[in-house]
Amino acid sequence: QVQLVQSAAEVQKPGASVKVSCKASGYTFTNYYIHWVRQAPGQGLEWMAIVNPTDSVTRYAQNFQGRVTMTRDMSTSTVYMELTNLRSDDTAVYYCARDPGYSYGYNYFDYWGQGTLVSVSS
Amino acid sequence: DIQMTQSPSSLSASVGDRVTITCRASQTITSFVNWYQHKPGKAPKLLIHAASYLQSGVPSRFSGSGSGTFFTLTISSLQPEDFATYYCQQTHTAPPYTFGPGTRVEIK
């Protein structure tokens, strides 16, 4: 079955960086985009980034340009999201999500990771 | 960027009620709208894609409609497990793959 398994919760200090992983299984890794979405406490869902696992091309939301980097490791079917220069308002649950748009031509997020809580506090 | 708005921001309803949530886009997005259900402590769940296509495994009491700039999500008979926050998302002009602000459905 399709699974996206994310890394464990992290606590970081302001100014530090965090790298969250998302390991995919149960499907052909290169046939689906992977996105990162976050939810800060009391807030809604915020789209952050997308990677094409086939060619590693990435696109980022304007709000995170210069601070976020998505990478992928095809040998382990794992996608990584690194966020740098962390601020207290980066405290949130970060989700990865699969998107069949690469093959289907229509984008939607059909499977999600379990979420990773990143807490930023001094 | 395309902006998405939802109404109401929250609602109270009883089990068995018919519930409709609306979503508006700041410009036409044809049928490029998805709907998600999100419960606290859980990952969001895809309900509807392409405005009206029910995701596999989602109960048929959920339905979506609309095109252009106006979309609706309807729950025909609210069940206890449906109390959650619902988000629309546009994928017409992306990135960004913009979500609406959410509609919280609470128990009356």
Side-chain angles (χ1 to χ4, degrees), chain B residues 85-104:
Chain B
T85 300
Y86 294 84
Y87 295 90
C88 60
Q89 177 198 36
Q90 72 86 19
T91 61
H92 178 272
T93 304
Y97 298 82
T98 320
F99 290 93
T103 295
R104 186 173 177 182

Side-chain angles (χ1 to χ4, degrees), chain B residues 22-65:
Chain B
T22 65
C23 177
R24 289 183 188 270
S26 59
Q27 59 193 76
T28 184
I29 56 173
T30 60
S31 64
F32 286 78
V33 159
N34 308 317
W35 289 94
Y36 300 87
Q37 177 192 67
H38 194 198
K39 297 180 180 180
K42 303 276 193 180
K45 176 184 176 181
L46 177 69
L47 299 175
I48 302 280
H49 71 271
S52 62
Y53 289 85
L54 192 68
Q55 179 68 1
S56 175
V58 174
S60 59
R61 63 181 179 272
F62 291 92
S63 64
S65 66

Side-chain angles (χ1 to χ4, degrees), chain A residues 33 35 37 39 43-47 50 59-62 95 99 104-115, chain B residues 1 31-34 36 38 41-46 49-51 55 87 89 91 94-101:
Chain A
Y33 298 126
H35 298 259
V37 175
Q39 184 181 40
Q43 304 298 309
L45 301 174
E46 180 180 24
W47 179 82
I50 178 176
R59 299 286 298 275
Y60 303 123
Q62 191 78 9
Y95 295 100
D99 174 0
Y104 180 45
Y106 186 93
N107 300 96
Y108 53 88
F109 301 178
D110 59 355
Y111 284 89
W112 295 65
Q114 81 276 19
Chain B
D1 294 353
S31 64
F32 286 78
V33 159
N34 308 317
Y36 300 87
H38 194 198
K42 303 276 193 180
K45 176 184 176 181
L46 177 69
H49 71 271
Q55 179 68 1
Y87 295 90
Q89 177 198 36
T91 61
Y97 298 82
T98 320
F99 290 93

